[in-house]
């Protein structure tokens, strides 16, 4: 069984989606995340064990490699696709046993900002690390974040912006969320954002890479 | 002079402004201000920095590649709506005609009116960006891994189109001094796709396009946002004369200018992520003076490291315009 967990973690790390997938070339015609996840379930392994012992292990490696500039957006997206293939098998099991994921993360780009590559990378990485992700998409107003936070008590909110022109909306949205409920944790990110800005607007965490968000969540979510 | 690695009498400049920034300038200088005349840029750019588009109503534009642009939020370039190539195949897709008169519209008049300027023809979205506008951003990144042959095929056809345009421009308008290629590859740290992918898929077609420009005896200037430091040697080897926008938040502008002076020039440098929107007039003056001082020895053309955005206080815009123009006094 350990061997299958390792194989599945390897598929996530290197983005092997399923057997027909041509990537990576050195895994041609080998089982991918899709087949191995199904095999583990068939052998009676719980969805939770598969998530914890294989998927998170693989995704964490991707996150660290991305932070260290050893892999880039294409490889991370391939890992996310492999993760999706595995999660498609696991999600029905999670739906039947709520609470089996680590927690909930609500994410969106702030009002006025449509640039979503960074937001999507963070969402994928957080989901791959065992959290339920509520992706509100792009150009999201404060009210929508608050509404989602009401619906998912205890969730952490992630705000993303690429532009200095929309970064200011991050401040307004953070203030609106905090004045609604100051216990909601907010993390921010995006090209122009930094720790000073995070301190200034009263957000709880700034991270320059997705793995930083995962580490913040692991510390924050009980 | 600067592009030839020589020392100029003063630092040349070419500054761009977004529609929102232009509105602020009109409010300050008066509605009838001619910003081109006011700023007195050294370049005149013909062609199109973000593609040739026609209005199709409902705040939408369509470019000659068939891509629909939603202009509702981002009014300068727009945001891609839908996918022209939802699958990794060119079956049924027809490339635009490089002889379309739209690509050369009004060039003779503009050249005649700007004979004292350095005349550039812009080919915006020149390779990777053209690719992703057709396939979608996420697909574009996945295609590198999943469909490498298709990527190479489409990149080659995009480059072929550009090479045909370069030929037309150079043969029809000998007054054009150079070609200005725009294609974003950089992230805040390193290249979005990584250097290995860039070398395998993008660089071969860049070399082909740049070799054509050189064969016509023209300069070539390129724009790529982000941290592209690791590929500067490759760009120089491919014959690039000038690199924009030289973002100070992601590149060490002092170090790069000193390292590459005489090999390639840099165009940009004034912080649009920090100093212009958030700095004081004193900050803008200090940074502009520093850049002009560094540029005295050559290898540098001044401008903000992106089209100046609408969140820049007008006082900061006026400050750098006054300083660059004062050089000529």
């Amino acid at each position: 069984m350990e061997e299958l967990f390792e194989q599945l973690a390897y598929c996530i790390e290197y983005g092997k989606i399923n057997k027909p997938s041509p990537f990576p070339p050195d895994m041609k015609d080998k089982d991918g995340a899709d087949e191995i996840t199904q095999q583990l379930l068939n052998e009676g392994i719980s969805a939770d064990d598969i998530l914890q012992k294989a998927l998170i292990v693989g995704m964490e490696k991707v996150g660290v490699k991305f932070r260290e500039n050893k892999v880039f957006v294409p490889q991370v997206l391939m890992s996310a696709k492999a993760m999706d293939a595995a999660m498609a098998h696991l999600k029905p099991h999670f739906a039947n046993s709520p609470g089996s994921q680590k927690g909930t993360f609500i994410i969106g780009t702030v009002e006025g900002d449509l640039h979503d590559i960074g937001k999507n990378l963070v969402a994928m990485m957080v989901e791959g690390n065992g959290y339920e992700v509520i992706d509100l998409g792009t150009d999201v107003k404060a009210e929508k974040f608050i509404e989602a936070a009401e619906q998912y008590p205890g969730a952490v909110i992630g705000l993303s912006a690429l532009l200095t022109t929309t970064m200011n909306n991050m401040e307004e949205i953070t203030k609106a969320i905090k004045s609604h409920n100051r216990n909601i944790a907010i993390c921010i990110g995006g090209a122009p954002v930094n720790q000073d800005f995070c301190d200034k607007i009263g957000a709880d965490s700034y991270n320059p890479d997705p793995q930083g968000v995962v580490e913040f969540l692991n510390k924050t979510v009980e | 002079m600067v592009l030839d690695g020589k020392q100029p009498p003063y630092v040349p400049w070419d500054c761009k402004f977004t529609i929102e920034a232009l509105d602020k300038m009109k409010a300050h200088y008066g509605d009838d201000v001619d910003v081109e005349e006011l700023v007195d840029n050294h370049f005149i750019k013909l062609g199109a920095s973000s593609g040739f588009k026609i209005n199709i109503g409902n705040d939408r534009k369509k470019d000659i590649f068939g891509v629909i642009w939603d202009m509702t939020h981002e009014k300068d370039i727009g945001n891609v709506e839908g996918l022209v190539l939802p699958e990794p195949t060119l079956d049924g897709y027809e490339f635009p005609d490089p002889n379309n008169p739209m690509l050369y519209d009004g060039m003779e008049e503009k050249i005649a009116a700007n004979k004292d300027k350095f005349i550039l023809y812009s080919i915006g979205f020149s390779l990777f960006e053209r690719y992703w506008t057709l396939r979608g951003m996420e697909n574009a990144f996945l295609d590198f891994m999943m469909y490498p042959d298709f990527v190479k095929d489409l990149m080659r056809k995009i480059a072929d189109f550009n090479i045909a345009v370069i030929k037309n421009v150079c043969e029809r308008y000998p007054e054009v001094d150079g070609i200005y290629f725009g294609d974003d590859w950089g992230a805040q740290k390193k290249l979005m796709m990584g250097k290995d992918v860039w070398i395998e898929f993008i660089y071969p077609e860049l070399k082909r396009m740049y070799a054509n420009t050189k064969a016509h005896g023209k300069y070539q200037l390129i724009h790529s946002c982000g941290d592209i430091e690791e590929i500067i040697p490759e760009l120089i080897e491919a014959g690039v004369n000038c690199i924009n926008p030289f973002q100070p938040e992601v590149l060490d502008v002092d170090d790069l200018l000193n390292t590459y002076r005489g090999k390639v020039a840099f165009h940009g440098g004034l912080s649009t992520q920090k100093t212009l929107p958030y700095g004081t007039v004193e900050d803008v003056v200090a940074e502009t003076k520093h850049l002009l001082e560094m540029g005295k020895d050559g290898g540098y053309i001044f401008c903000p490291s992106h089209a100046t955005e609408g969140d820049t206080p007008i006082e900061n815009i006026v400050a750098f315009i006054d300083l660059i123009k004062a050089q000529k006094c």
Side-chain angles (χ1 to χ4, degrees):
Chain A
M1 205 54 58
E2 290 306 315
E3 200 181 322
L4 276 183
F5 283 140
E6 274 174 32
Q7 279 178 27
L8 181 51
Y10 190 88
C11 288
I12 301 299
E13 184 182 352
Y14 291 95
K16 177 70 175 172
I17 302 170
N18 53 24
K19 198 167 186 173
S21 172
F23 184 83
D26 62 355
M27 291 178 78
K28 195 169 180 282
D29 297 328
K30 288 188 179 163
D31 282 347
D34 181 22
E35 292 83 7
I36 300 174
T37 306
Q38 186 60 60
Q39 199 182 335
L40 283 162
L41 286 170
N42 290 347
E43 293 189 19
I45 308 298
S46 75
D48 199 40
D49 266 3
I50 296 171
L51 180 68
Q52 301 292 338
K53 294 180 181 170
L55 305 188
I56 292 178
V57 174
M59 211 53 172
E60 198 174 1
K61 286 185 177 163
V62 180
V64 171
K65 285 200 285 188
F66 186 57
R67 166 186 282 172
E68 292 172 350
N69 300 314
K70 288 178 180 158
V71 295
F72 299 89
V73 177
Q75 293 87 353
V76 174
L77 286 175
M78 289 306 302
S79 291
K81 290 284 168 196
M83 188 79 193
D84 283 348
M87 287 301 281
H89 295 289
L90 302 191
K91 274 184 177 161
H93 297 269
F94 291 136
N96 293 333
S97 58
S100 52
Q101 283 176 282
K102 287 192 210 164
T104 304
F105 182 60
I106 298 163
I107 190 168
T109 71
V110 296
E111 184 176 1
D113 206 315
L114 300 175
H115 301 84
D116 62 357
I117 309 175
K119 185 263 298 173
N120 292 345
L121 289 173
V122 172
M124 289 165 191
M125 209 73 92
V126 169
E127 186 174 27
N129 277 276
Y131 291 87
E132 179 185 25
V133 172
I134 308 299
D135 187 344
L136 300 179
T138 59
D139 189 21
V140 182
K141 288 182 167 45
E143 305 87 77
K144 221 172 151 195
F145 282 110
I146 292 170
E147 209 176 283
E150 286 289 303
Q151 206 182 332
Y152 300 95
V156 173
I157 293 179
L159 307 177
S160 168
L162 177 76
L163 305 174
T164 54
T165 47
T166 54
M167 197 167 103
N168 293 331
N169 295 341
M170 219 172 226
E171 181 168 8
E172 285 167 29
I173 291 171
T174 300
K175 283 182 177 153
I177 295 169
K178 289 285 184 188
S179 69
H180 175 78
N181 179 352
R182 66 186 178 85
N183 294 323
I184 297 174
I186 300 173
C187 56
I188 62 171
V193 180
N194 57 30
Q195 188 60 50
D196 287 348
F197 182 73
C198 177
D199 297 341
K200 180 181 153 237
I201 69 170
D204 299 285
S205 169
Y206 157 73
N207 295 285
D209 54 62
Q211 192 60 24
V213 180
V214 171
E215 287 164 9
F216 172 71
L217 290 171
N218 287 345
K219 275 189 295 185
T220 311
V221 179
E222 287 170 9
Chain B
M1 290 177 87
V2 169
L3 299 184
D4 291 329
K6 294 177 187 159
Q7 189 174 11
Y10 56 86
V11 174
W13 63 86
D14 184 77
C15 307
K16 272 175 73 183
F17 303 88
T18 63
I19 291 170
E20 287 173 351
L22 285 172
D23 287 343
K24 277 191 175 178
M25 292 170 79
K26 280 181 185 162
H28 177 80
Y29 290 107
D31 265 346
D32 54 350
V33 65
D34 182 336
V35 172
E36 274 298 320
E37 199 178 316
L38 170 84
V39 180
D40 197 18
N41 281 326
H42 288 66
F43 296 165
I44 178 87
K45 292 198 194 104
L46 311 174
S49 60
S50 60
F52 291 89
K53 299 167 183 158
I54 51 164
N55 282 315
I56 54 168
N58 198 26
D59 225 358
R60 302 290 190 278
K61 289 184 177 180
K62 187 175 185 179
D63 71 25
I64 55 171
F65 286 82
V67 175
I68 309 287
W69 296 81
D70 176 352
M71 307 302 293
T72 325
H73 287 84
E74 212 291 322
K75 299 188 186 311
D76 291 86
I77 299 173
N79 293 92
V80 174
E81 188 172 80
L83 294 180
V84 171
L85 299 175
E87 298 298 327
T89 170
L90 288 171
D91 289 351
Y93 179 71
E94 198 174 326
F95 255 73
D97 177 5
N99 294 312
N100 182 339
M102 191 181 180
L103 277 80
Y104 316 101
D105 189 33
M107 280 186 61
E108 272 164 36
E109 295 79 0
K110 284 177 196 159
I111 289 170
N114 291 283
K115 283 199 164 144
D116 57 331
K117 307 257 182 187
F118 190 77
I119 301 171
L120 291 169
Y121 185 88
S122 277
I123 301 182
F125 285 65
S126 56
L127 194 61
F128 175 63
E129 286 190 294
R130 181 61 58 210
Y131 187 103
W132 75 250
T133 60
L134 292 166
R135 279 284 289 144
M137 183 69 90
E138 188 173 316
N139 286 337
F141 285 122
L142 291 169
D143 287 353
F144 287 129
M145 306 288 112
M146 295 286 280
Y147 311 107
D149 294 340
F150 173 75
V151 177
K152 286 174 185 170
D153 187 33
L154 180 50
M155 292 276 186
R156 190 178 314 115
K157 288 188 166 71
I158 293 168
D160 285 343
F161 172 82
N162 290 338
I163 287 167
V165 173
I166 292 166
K167 182 171 183 284
N168 282 344
V169 168
C170 295
E171 287 180 358
R172 294 179 197 177
Y173 308 97
E175 302 89 344
V176 168
D177 296 297
I179 305 291
Y180 191 93
F181 296 94
D183 207 30
D184 285 340
W185 311 307
Q188 201 76 356
K189 276 186 198 157
K190 304 282 181 179
L191 301 183
M192 290 186 279
M193 66 290 289
K195 186 173 177 179
D196 290 348
V197 167
W198 186 87
I199 290 280
E200 182 179 353
F201 294 96
I202 296 175
Y203 192 44
E205 298 307 327
L206 292 183
K207 282 200 283 194
R208 228 158 50 81
M209 291 197 293
Y210 297 171
N212 267 272
T213 314
K214 280 284 168 210
H216 288 286
K218 305 297 180 189
Y219 292 99
Q220 43 203 340
L221 296 81
I222 68 137
H223 163 94
S224 169
C225 286
D227 172 10
I228 59 163
E229 182 173 353
E230 62 187 318
I231 54 169
I232 292 175
E234 282 79 7
L235 293 172
I236 293 172
E237 198 182 315
V240 167
N241 300 103
C242 183
I243 297 171
N244 166 278
F246 203 31
Q247 276 177 265
E249 299 85 3
V250 297
L251 299 170
D252 184 336
V253 296
D254 293 45
D255 181 50
L256 289 180
L257 198 50
N258 289 325
T259 304
Y260 290 108
R261 188 177 278 118
K263 299 187 182 89
V264 70
F266 293 98
H267 171 214
L270 178 60
S271 163
T272 48
Q273 270 185 357
K274 287 179 185 156
T275 313
L276 280 178
Y278 302 116
T280 61
V281 168
E282 290 72 31
D283 295 333
V284 175
V285 167
E287 195 168 317
T288 304
K289 279 186 174 171
H290 176 66
L291 289 165
L292 296 178
E293 184 60 32
M294 278 201 313
K296 271 187 179 167
D297 294 332
Y300 178 63
I301 300 163
F302 175 88
C303 79
S305 60
H306 191 272
T308 307
E309 291 275 3
D311 57 355
T312 306
I314 185 65
E315 298 77 21
N316 289 357
I317 296 177
V318 173
F320 77 74
I321 292 176
D322 286 351
L323 273 173
I324 52 176
K325 290 183 73 176
Q327 293 185 99
K328 282 170 87 173
C329 298

